[in-house]
Amino acid sequence: MYIEKIHTPADLRKLEVSELKIVADEVRDAVLNRVSRHGGHVGPNLGFTEATVALHYVFDTPTDKLVFDVSHQTYPHKILTGRAHGFLDDADTRAISGYSSPIESPEYDYFEIGHTSTAISLATGLQKGRDVLGGTENIVAIVGDGSLSGGEAFEGLNTAAALGTNIIIVVNDNEMSIAENHGGLYANLRLLRETYGQAELNFFKTFGFDYYYLENGHNLASLVDIFRRVKDTPRPTVVHIHTEKGHGYAPAVEKQEAWHYRSPFDRETGKSTGPRDKSEYMPSLLGDFLREEMKRDPKLVVVASAVPMGLGFTADRRREAGAQYIDVGIAEEEAVALASGMAKRGARPVYFTYATFLQRTYDQIAQDLCVNGNPAVINVLGASIFGMNDFTHICFFDIAMLSHIPNLVYLAPTTYEELVAMQTWAIRQDKHSVAIRVPEGEVYHTSEPVDTDYSALNTFRVGHRGSRVALIAAGNFYQKGERVRQLLAGQGIDATLINPRYLTGVDTELLDELKKDHAVVATLEDGTLDGGFGERIARHYGPSAMRVLDFGVKKQLYDRYDVDELLRENHLTDEQIAEDVLATLAAIG
Amino acid sequence: MYIEKIHTPADLRKLEVSELKIVADEVRDAVLNRVSRHGGHVGPNLGFTEATVALHYVFDTPTDKLVFDVSHQTYPHKILTGRAHGFLDDADTRAISGYSSPIESPEYDYFEIGHTSTAISLATGLQKGRDVLGGTENIVAIVGDGSLSGGEAFEGLNTAAALGTNIIIVVNDNEMSIAENHGGLYANLRLLRETYGQAELNFFKTFGFDYYYLENGHNLASLVDIFRRVKDTPRPTVVHIHTEKGHGYAPAVEKQEAWHYRSPFDRETGKSTGPRDKSEYMPSLLGDFLREEMKRDPKLVVVASAVPMGLGFTADRRREAGAQYIDVGIAEEEAVALASGMAKRGARPVYFTYATFLQRTYDQIAQDLCVNGNPAVINVLGASIFGMNDFTHICFFDIAMLSHIPNLVYLAPTTYEELVAMQTWAIRQDKHSVAIRVPEGEVYHTSEPVDTDYSALNTFRVGHRGSRVALIAAGNFYQKGERVRQLLAGQGIDATLINPRYLTGVDTELLDELKKDHAVVATLEDGTLDGGFGERIARHYGPSAMRVLDFGVKKQLYDRYDVDELLRENHLTDEQIAEDVLATLAAIG
């Protein structure tokens, strides 16, 4: 086996070009070994296997620097840079992350990257840094065609070209984002592919890049040749290579969208091996609801930004939705501005994306949407400690990011029925910009009646009226509040339980009323404490005698955490919360 | 006079094309009347006067919809849409804002716009909304060449083209941003100008736009002709018009950067008429410091995003700084990612922009910079109630936006000396991503020694040790804290005064120690209360008996406020704060 002997790319560079195919096949096999057992990004890694081998073969890594966009295609790179054990040895899999990681490899990985469209921008920093410090290494950014739809990639291209010095941008064009591409730009990429890069009209050349095209991005001799031609170029250069997503593994090629990321599967058949999860999933239920609502309301338009499956918008369902569905590509800024404009024009836009990606559009939410007060709806997905847990995909900063924005109404439903009621209200009203925190984790239902009108802003709902202690438990954590209430009841404390519903304001009347017969208020939120909902309650009670305990997640970086551990470390188990409340009660006598 | 009789654009459309020049001259005169007396955007409005007349002449406004980017060029538009009084009648000037405003004119202004690069995106919303609802009006977005450097503009272009229906994007190319343009794209715009739009290599055509070029963007007959050609087009269309910034007023043409925005001036000479403000200005002092530091440290690189004058980087000073200065255009996302990459490569990047524009790059600060912990420095300008006060330019949400981001160190200096000490430390250290809140308003100095090492994070500094009451007064508001302390001293209260220095964490040891002999803690911050610094203190003391009063600005939209009124309404005058503290002390006995 070759790859077991490749400890660094220098070992790779001792081989003949003719041997590289064997290396690539072994790399692909190692990738499949890992993803079939543990899940992970399949298509992106298989499609960039040969190119990665050729890059490390031609460039003097780590002196020359590779920066991978999204970095979900870095498995081959990891295998060639001393981390093959994470792909060959089952025991080591969890030690190696799914993204580029300077912690794992300070020499070969320069950035933690998980969001799209950042590689060119980050690489311009290496480029400018090198130029100022008098370095001579090659800076290579690798970016997928899908990622080019993000504004940051454009800004990076614009700067890279203006700097005018060595930077090589490898555009890995597999004709796909996670789903199909969206945007006028993609007609130009198609034209370039169809003309083998010869078309006069060339997006990259408009910036001033030197431009090279390679039709077969899996041919190692061609890859080596083209990279050798551009190595040490003194000019900003684009190498546009045409690849096949999922290359070399038939199931991944046949169904490219489904095989972008996969849970564990049988390598022979491609079938999932994990237990099929038949439990309800809130975003799926919401997607079903919206699809029905679209049929009832022709003004309703669902807006996606390249993660259609977040609400279960399969290719069939996208087609069925027709003009009532629009995907803007990886362009969250555009998505929010578009939604604002649509709402202004009288349509009823409903945007959705994951909380971590919504971070891209803080300013557009504040300015393009909320300053204008246009009635668009944003569904915030995965916003929870139960969501994605990679370093770069943490989804629980949303309350801190959104709740201080003037004119935004951010709602936190606690059950499916409440989600539907809030969604329905948000879609049909025309006064407020509304975001809705779609619950993650277990799906809860209620048989109790749910309010249908949320226009009386910042009115909390009392679920149970007790005394001495009040639990204000938001969204996802309402059921935790109920469990804590029961624990306290077991200790003779009849605690009040409140569903705040609104994350963007406090019910000052209710809070003041609680002062009469409550001594302790505990806030529970499934998110970061700093800037969170609980602090607003603490501020309200600051001048009073009320004791306030805010429960949430401490501010720090998190990476591939265990949820139960996270809960314990943040004093967020039901028992810990109850204990802390009891201790506070005891302390005040 | 024509314009006094033009109450709506319908009145304009009754005129002959040959009469439009007179209208344009009157509009220009009215613009100059306002800006010379009251200040405002000069170059953008003078340069787009003829085009605005022609747009309203050709298109059926308000059925056809115009969306202006930044909207600092909308004075002519306002004059032609029933708001001429705001330009002719001195008394009415303040009633008419400097930006497009649906509050002023719901028929003709569709969005509050102040940030750049949003018009195309917002217009795609009108476009898609029209298509879904079955409308037939023209959607026209007006965008300057400078604004094209922003990622949101790119995302908008990409979507507009993909929608494939009527949208007309008027690119107002005056070869300028506020300062000169930066980015590879601008070479293509130059090529297009030089070839009168005939060059094969055409940025806009790569997206699939139909494309028209007009060399003289001030010739009314040509403008009317070209707009008539594209009116009612069924296709996404770009009309690229070449204009002169400041056209028709010699001083503004001669010094285009200085005349982008001007305080009041004498129309004859172009000289400023306001009293020359000779007082110190903190950002200017910081710019001076950085320019000296750049000479000492060749690794130091200052990064700007199209507002170089924020730190006094005049054209001469930019030239002098050479490779140690880089302007990325209106591309805040790129600026932060570039800074992160540069820091990674061993350079010492110092980025600066206004707090309101920094909102564009929340995700890049969190992901590209802070997850990676790269030691770049961000100077946050204008972050204060004393900064810009237009609807869309409010600069005091920065603490709420930044302070919950893990791994960021956000410092709030209180004096020039502390600013320099923090800046020096931040530039030379290599462990933290650091943002610094550059004080606004009056410049304070201290003759006391200032710490030079800020690596012991979240250590507050006690300025005066008293008892019963502690004032924690951040940054800008430290001197207010001192004044409140003196007021309290007059009432026999010897209050403790603390400079927290760090906005991204609390000094738990000091806070706990205060419990011994303090009953009330008041926090003072020059920013929004929700998500602000004070709430973190309130949370810390939540479970304890300490009474906490957070002083700051209530969450709401603000527009052209009076600072003194704002202070009073938010209970932020020195006297009000002292009163509230005393009342709380009295209440607890």
Side-chain angles (χ1 to χ4, degrees):
Chain A
M1 217 176 181
Y2 279 82
I3 60 171
E4 283 184 342
K5 291 173 199 143
I6 296 173
H7 303 293
T8 75
D11 298 324
L12 176 72
R13 292 193 279 269
K14 290 174 194 153
L15 304 177
E16 300 297 322
V17 173
S18 56
E19 293 172 286
L20 297 183
K21 168 120 184 37
I22 307 170
V23 175
D25 289 345
E26 288 183 15
V27 167
R28 178 167 285 112
D29 193 64
V31 167
L32 282 167
N33 178 60
R34 173 174 165 138
V35 293
S36 64
R37 288 160 190 260
H38 300 285
H41 284 97
V42 181
N45 283 296
L46 299 184
F48 207 68
T49 298
E50 284 78 14
T52 305
V53 171
L55 282 168
H56 279 294
Y57 188 73
V58 171
F59 289 96
D60 296 324
T61 52
T63 303
D64 291 336
K65 294 180 172 49
L66 310 182
V67 184
F68 293 88
D69 203 77
V70 198
S71 81
H72 59 347
Q73 76 290 61
T74 48
Y75 295 3
H77 163 77
K78 292 191 177 201
I79 291 167
L80 298 173
T81 54
R83 288 167 280 179
H85 56 93
F87 297 80
L88 298 171
D89 183 344
D90 253 25
D92 285 358
T93 310
R94 304 225 169 264
I96 301 300
S97 82
Y99 301 94
S100 86
S101 168
I103 295 170
E104 286 173 13
S105 179
E107 303 96 327
Y108 292 97
D109 291 10
Y110 309 104
F111 304 100
E112 292 284 348
I113 296 179
H115 286 195
T116 67
S117 316
T118 71
I120 303 170
S121 292
L122 290 167
T124 62
L126 298 179
Q127 177 187 11
K128 176 70 182 169
R130 175 203 62 201
D131 294 348
V132 165
L133 300 175
T136 58
E137 77 273 19
N138 289 278
I139 306 297
V140 182
I142 293 104
V143 59
D145 52 325
S147 288
L148 289 177
S149 57
E152 188 180 349
F154 164 81
E155 294 182 1
L157 286 171
N158 206 27
T159 299
L163 285 171
T165 57
N166 169 286
I167 184 170
I168 296 155
I169 297 167
V170 178
V171 175
N172 174 30
D173 185 352
N174 58 26
E175 308 181 44
M176 288 281 284
S177 191
I178 293 178
E180 69 281 0
N181 286 313
H182 294 274
L185 166 65
Y186 294 101
N188 189 245
L189 293 194
R190 190 185 321 120
L191 175 70
L192 290 171
R193 291 192 305 270
E194 287 172 357
T195 60
Y196 302 104
Q198 298 303 307
E200 289 279 344
L201 194 62
N202 181 316
F203 176 70
F204 305 105
K205 285 188 179 176
T206 63
F207 295 91
F209 285 100
D210 288 349
Y211 174 85
Y212 296 81
Y213 180 80
L214 177 62
E215 171 58 19
N216 184 349
H218 302 289
N219 183 301
L220 280 151
S222 306
L223 285 161
V224 166
D225 179 57
I226 203 163
F227 291 144
R228 279 182 174 157
R229 282 162 67 191
V230 300
K231 188 183 174 187
D232 298 325
T233 173
R235 296 250 316 128
T237 300
V238 164
V239 179
H240 181 183
I241 68 174
H242 189 191
T243 65
E244 179 179 63
K245 196 164 180 173
H247 187 75
Y249 184 61
V253 173
E254 275 159 37
K255 297 191 171 176
Q256 294 185 323
E257 185 174 346
W259 281 84
H260 176 80
Y261 185 96
R262 282 283 287 191
S263 54
F265 57 91
D266 180 284
R267 277 184 66 172
E268 290 304 312
T269 63
K271 287 193 177 142
S272 290
T273 50
R276 199 183 162 120
D277 188 355
K278 290 192 178 169
S279 58
E280 290 187 303
Y281 184 52
M282 196 71 95
S284 302
L285 297 178
L286 175 59
D288 293 341
F289 167 77
L290 284 171
R291 281 181 286 277
E292 286 306 308
E293 190 69 12
M294 285 160 84
K295 290 177 195 161
R296 281 191 290 271
D297 182 355
K299 292 182 182 177
L300 179 55
V301 179
V302 170
V303 180
S305 52
V307 285
M309 288 306 293
L311 289 186
F313 275 90
T314 60
D316 284 346
R317 288 164 169 172
R318 301 198 287 268
R319 266 191 301 276
E320 196 185 342
Q324 284 182 265
Y325 174 86
I326 176 171
D327 186 333
V328 296
I330 308 173
E332 293 83 4
E333 302 184 308
E334 163 65 16
V336 169
L338 173 94
S340 178
M342 260 197 277
K344 181 74 186 176
R345 184 56 180 74
R348 290 174 168 161
V350 177
Y351 173 48
F352 68 97
T353 193
Y354 292 94
T356 188
F357 304 140
L358 196 69
Q359 295 180 180
R360 277 286 165 81
T361 183
Y362 173 90
D363 187 55
Q364 287 72 24
I365 293 172
Q367 293 271 329
D368 298 355
L369 184 59
C370 292
V371 166
N372 288 287
N374 288 331
V377 182
I378 301 175
N379 282 298
V380 184
L381 304 184
S384 168
I385 58 170
F386 302 109
M388 293 184 278
N389 72 0
D390 282 292
F391 224 172
T392 48
H393 286 70
I394 302 300
C395 275
F396 50 72
F397 295 104
D398 58 306
I399 302 177
M401 180 180 90
L402 295 174
S403 65
H404 64 271
I405 296 177
N407 241 14
L408 180 68
V409 177
Y410 193 18
L411 297 171
T414 62
T415 61
Y416 170 73
E417 289 70 25
E418 199 174 27
L419 169 64
V420 165
M422 288 174 168
Q423 191 84 208
T424 305
W425 171 78
I427 291 171
R428 297 181 187 175
Q429 58 83 40
D430 61 1
K431 297 213 165 18
H432 305 287
S433 307
V434 180
I436 299 177
R437 196 176 208 232
V438 179
E440 264 294 320
E442 197 176 334
V443 172
Y444 295 98
H445 291 274
T446 181
S447 52
E448 287 175 28
V450 170
D451 285 344
T452 53
D453 182 357
Y454 294 87
S455 57
L457 300 184
N458 307 328
T459 50
F460 294 0
R461 192 170 190 281
V462 178
H464 175 84
R465 188 64 161 87
S467 63
R468 292 186 72 197
V469 173
L471 304 164
I472 307 181
N476 265 357
F477 269 17
Y478 185 74
Q479 287 75 19
K480 178 179 278 294
E482 171 59 24
R483 293 192 301 271
V484 172
R485 194 186 72 77
Q486 287 168 14
L487 288 174
L488 292 173
Q491 301 293 315
I493 310 286
D494 179 26
T496 295
L497 177 63
I498 293 168
N499 170 7
R501 314 192 298 181
Y502 302 84
L503 297 169
T504 29
V506 298
D507 187 335
T508 54
E509 200 176 320
L510 175 65
L511 293 188
D512 287 340
E513 196 256 331
L514 290 178
K515 289 178 187 168
K516 280 194 307 201
D517 54 354
H518 290 72
V520 175
V521 166
T523 65
L524 280 60
E525 68 193 298
D526 183 5
T528 187
L529 281 165
D530 288 54
F533 167 78
E535 289 188 341
R536 229 126 296 160
I537 307 288
R539 166 159 66 90
H540 180 82
Y541 283 124
S544 80
M546 186 73 83
R547 305 299 169 101
V548 178
L549 283 75
D550 290 332
F551 291 93
V553 181
K554 278 192 289 283
K555 181 173 75 165
Q556 65 176 61
L557 296 176
Y558 291 91
D559 190 24
R560 290 168 287 162
Y561 57 79
D562 175 81
V563 171
D564 290 328
E565 218 169 278
L566 183 87
L567 286 166
R568 272 195 307 278
E569 284 175 359
N570 285 282
H571 254 237
L572 283 172
T573 71
D574 304 345
E575 293 73 19
Q576 287 171 321
I577 295 170
E579 278 164 26
D580 288 356
V581 168
L582 290 168
T584 304
L585 269 183
I588 57 179
Chain B
M1 217 175 178
Y2 279 82
I3 60 172
E4 285 184 343
K5 291 172 200 144
I6 296 174
H7 303 292
T8 74
D11 298 324
L12 176 72
R13 290 194 280 269
K14 290 175 195 153
L15 304 177
E16 299 297 322
V17 174
S18 56
E19 295 171 286
L20 297 182
K21 171 127 185 24
I22 308 170
V23 175
D25 289 346
E26 288 182 14
V27 166
R28 177 169 286 111
D29 192 64
V31 167
L32 281 167
N33 178 58
R34 173 174 165 138
V35 294
S36 64
R37 289 161 190 260
H38 300 282
H41 285 97
V42 180
N45 284 298
L46 298 184
F48 207 67
T49 297
E50 285 78 14
T52 305
V53 171
L55 282 168
H56 278 294
Y57 190 71
V58 172
F59 288 96
D60 297 324
T61 52
T63 303
D64 291 336
K65 293 179 172 51
L66 311 182
V67 184
F68 293 88
D69 204 77
V70 196
S71 80
H72 59 348
Q73 76 289 64
T74 47
Y75 295 2
H77 163 76
K78 292 189 179 203
I79 291 168
L80 298 173
T81 55
R83 288 167 280 179
H85 57 93
F87 297 81
L88 298 172
D89 182 345
D90 254 26
D92 284 358
T93 311
R94 304 227 169 261
I96 301 300
S97 82
Y99 301 94
S100 86
S101 167
I103 294 170
E104 286 173 12
S105 179
E107 304 95 326
Y108 291 96
D109 291 11
Y110 309 104
F111 304 100
E112 291 284 347
I113 297 180
H115 286 195
T116 67
S117 316
T118 72
I120 303 171
S121 292
L122 289 167
T124 62
L126 298 179
Q127 178 188 11
K128 175 70 182 167
R130 175 202 60 198
D131 295 349
V132 165
L133 300 176
T136 57
E137 77 272 20
N138 288 278
I139 306 296
V140 182
I142 293 104
V143 59
D145 51 325
S147 288
L148 290 176
S149 57
E152 188 180 348
F154 163 80
E155 294 182 0
L157 286 172
N158 206 26
T159 299
L163 285 172
T165 56
N166 168 288
I167 185 170
I168 296 155
I169 297 168
V170 178
V171 175
N172 174 30
D173 185 353
N174 57 25
E175 308 180 45
M176 288 281 284
S177 191
I178 294 178
E180 69 281 1
N181 285 314
H182 294 274
L185 166 65
Y186 294 100
N188 189 245
L189 293 194
R190 191 185 320 118
L191 176 68
L192 289 172
R193 289 192 306 269
E194 287 171 359
T195 60
Y196 301 103
Q198 298 303 306
E200 289 279 342
L201 195 62
N202 181 315
F203 176 70
F204 305 105
K205 286 189 179 176
T206 64
F207 294 91
F209 285 100
D210 288 349
Y211 173 86
Y212 296 82
Y213 180 81
L214 177 62
E215 172 58 19
N216 184 350
H218 301 290
N219 182 300
L220 280 153
S222 307
L223 286 161
V224 166
D225 179 57
I226 203 163
F227 291 144
R228 280 182 174 157
R229 282 163 69 192
V230 301
K231 187 183 175 189
D232 298 324
T233 174
R235 297 252 314 129
T237 299
V238 164
V239 179
H240 181 183
I241 68 173
H242 190 191
T243 64
E244 180 180 62
K245 196 165 180 171
H247 187 75
Y249 184 63
V253 173
E254 276 159 36
K255 296 191 171 177
Q256 294 185 323
E257 185 174 345
W259 281 84
H260 176 79
Y261 185 97
R262 282 282 287 192
S263 54
F265 57 92
D266 180 286
R267 278 184 67 171
E268 290 305 312
T269 64
K271 286 190 178 146
S272 290
T273 49
R276 197 181 163 123
D277 188 357
K278 290 192 176 165
S279 58
E280 288 188 304
Y281 184 52
M282 197 70 96
S284 303
L285 298 177
L286 175 59
D288 294 342
F289 167 77
L290 284 171
R291 282 181 285 277
E292 285 307 308
E293 190 68 12
M294 285 161 84
K295 291 176 194 160
R296 282 191 290 272
D297 182 355
K299 292 183 182 177
L300 179 56
V301 180
V302 170
V303 180
S305 52
V307 285
M309 288 307 293
L311 288 186
F313 275 90
T314 60
D316 284 348
R317 288 163 170 173
R318 301 197 287 267
R319 265 191 301 276
E320 195 185 342
Q324 284 180 265
Y325 174 85
I326 176 170
D327 187 332
V328 296
I330 308 173
E332 294 83 3
E333 302 185 307
E334 164 66 16
V336 168
L338 173 95
S340 178
M342 261 197 277
K344 180 73 186 178
R345 184 57 180 75
R348 289 173 169 162
V350 177
Y351 173 49
F352 68 98
T353 195
Y354 292 93
T356 188
F357 304 140
L358 196 69
Q359 296 182 179
R360 276 288 164 82
T361 183
Y362 173 90
D363 187 57
Q364 287 72 24
I365 293 172
Q367 292 271 328
D368 297 356
L369 184 60
C370 292
V371 166
N372 288 287
N374 288 332
V377 181
I378 301 176
N379 282 299
V380 184
L381 304 185
S384 168
I385 57 170
F386 303 108
M388 293 183 277
N389 72 1
D390 282 293
F391 224 174
T392 47
H393 287 70
I394 302 299
C395 275
F396 50 70
F397 296 102
D398 58 305
I399 302 177
M401 181 180 90
L402 295 174
S403 65
H404 64 269
I405 296 176
N407 242 14
L408 180 69
V409 177
Y410 193 19
L411 297 170
T414 61
T415 61
Y416 171 73
E417 289 70 24
E418 200 174 27
L419 170 63
V420 165
M422 288 175 169
Q423 192 84 207
T424 305
W425 171 77
I427 292 170
R428 296 180 187 176
Q429 59 83 40
D430 62 2
K431 298 212 163 20
H432 305 286
S433 308
V434 180
I436 298 177
R437 196 176 209 234
V438 180
E440 263 295 320
E442 196 175 335
V443 172
Y444 295 98
H445 291 273
T446 180
S447 52
E448 288 176 27
V450 169
D451 286 344
T452 54
D453 183 357
Y454 295 86
S455 57
L457 300 185
N458 308 328
T459 49
F460 294 180
R461 192 170 189 281
V462 178
H464 174 83
R465 188 63 163 87
S467 64
R468 293 185 69 198
V469 173
L471 304 164
I472 308 181
N476 265 358
F477 268 17
Y478 185 74
Q479 286 76 17
K480 177 179 281 292
E482 171 59 22
R483 293 193 300 271
V484 173
R485 193 187 72 76
Q486 287 169 13
L487 288 174
L488 293 173
Q491 302 293 316
I493 310 287
D494 179 25
T496 294
L497 177 63
I498 294 170
N499 171 6
R501 313 193 299 180
Y502 302 83
L503 298 168
T504 30
V506 297
D507 187 335
T508 54
E509 200 175 319
L510 175 65
L511 293 188
D512 286 340
E513 195 257 331
L514 291 179
K515 289 178 189 169
K516 279 193 309 200
D517 53 355
H518 290 71
V520 176
V521 167
T523 66
L524 280 59
E525 67 193 298
D526 183 5
T528 187
L529 281 165
D530 287 53
F533 167 77
E535 289 189 340
R536 229 127 295 159
I537 307 288
R539 165 159 66 90
H540 180 82
Y541 283 123
S544 79
M546 186 73 83
R547 305 299 168 101
V548 179
L549 282 74
D550 290 332
F551 292 93
V553 181
K554 279 192 287 284
K555 180 174 76 167
Q556 65 177 60
L557 295 177
Y558 291 91
D559 190 24
R560 290 169 288 162
Y561 58 79
D562 175 83
V563 170
D564 290 327
E565 215 169 281
L566 183 87
L567 286 166
R568 271 196 307 279
E569 283 175 0
N570 285 281
H571 253 235
L572 282 172
T573 71
D574 305 344
E575 293 73 19
Q576 286 171 320
I577 295 170
E579 279 164 26
D580 288 355
V581 167
L582 290 169
T584 305
L585 269 182
I588 58 180

